[in-house]
Amino acid sequence: MTLTPLCILAQKYDCDKFGAKHSYTEFYYNTFAARATTVRKVVEIGVGEGRSLRMWRDFFPNAHIYGMDVAARRVFQEERITVYKGNQHSVHDLRGLVEKVGSDVDLFIDDASHRPPDQAFTCATIMPLLNRGATYV
């Protein structure tokens, strides 16, 4: 594994996208490094303690990072980060999220339940609402 700048940010924020459990950051870095300064909107559902949101904020210096989580205690706002309450199983909540953040999302990340049926439901609900060119992970 190569230790990329995104891996270092993941370590800084103790993010689970890097390390023994997962090694997504190398893939994400190779995929998004060339676009780091042009990405303007990132949405991640399933935010946990917000560690990956902070990682994305630092990696994409010109982007606002939006999140959605089912737990009200995980709703927060700080510099270039806004988290909303919502449920991955709700068409209403998913559509509402896109209405709040806009359809011009550059990167949409599903890190919520991790269950394939839920992921398929979320993708089928969200993708038609996003502008062409959005990347969905």
Side-chain angles (χ1 to χ4, degrees):
M1 176 188 302
T2 303
L3 192 63
T4 69
L6 190 58
C7 296
I8 293 167
L9 287 173
Q11 288 177 317
K12 173 183 177 180
Y13 291 110
D14 193 26
C15 177
D16 69 352
K17 288 177 174 44
F18 173 81
K21 187 174 180 183
H22 301 297
S23 58
Y24 301 136
T25 51
E26 185 177 2
F27 166 79
Y28 285 146
Y29 180 79
N30 292 334
T31 304
F32 300 116
R35 297 175 48 203
T37 60
T38 60
V39 167
R40 300 284 187 246
K41 284 187 185 177
V42 175
V43 177
E44 183 171 352
I45 61 169
V47 303
E49 303 307 316
R51 294 174 180 150
S52 61
L53 301 180
R54 292 175 183 101
M55 176 191 75
W56 294 127
R57 178 190 59 201
D58 289 3
F59 185 69
F60 296 116
N62 299 312
H64 193 96
I65 313 303
Y66 297 93
M68 184 179 87
D69 202 280
V70 70
R73 73 182 186 282
R74 293 181 171 157
V75 172
F76 70 94
Q77 188 165 0
E78 59 186 53
E79 181 186 355
R80 293 191 299 114
I81 296 176
T82 305
V83 179
Y84 299 102
K85 184 177 183 317
N87 191 319
Q88 174 178 36
H89 299 109
S90 167
V91 170
H92 178 265
D93 288 356
L94 292 170
R95 287 183 179 162
L97 177 64
V98 175
E99 287 175 10
K100 290 173 187 166
V101 306
S103 60
D104 57 337
V105 171
D106 296 293
L107 173 59
F108 191 101
I109 303 157
D110 179 353
D111 193 21
S113 76
H114 300 246
R115 295 182 55 236
D118 297 341
Q119 293 168 326
F121 174 80
T122 300
C123 184
T125 304
I126 290 292
M127 284 303 292
L129 304 175
L130 301 181
N131 288 354
R132 185 179 179 99
T135 301
Y136 189 99
V137 178

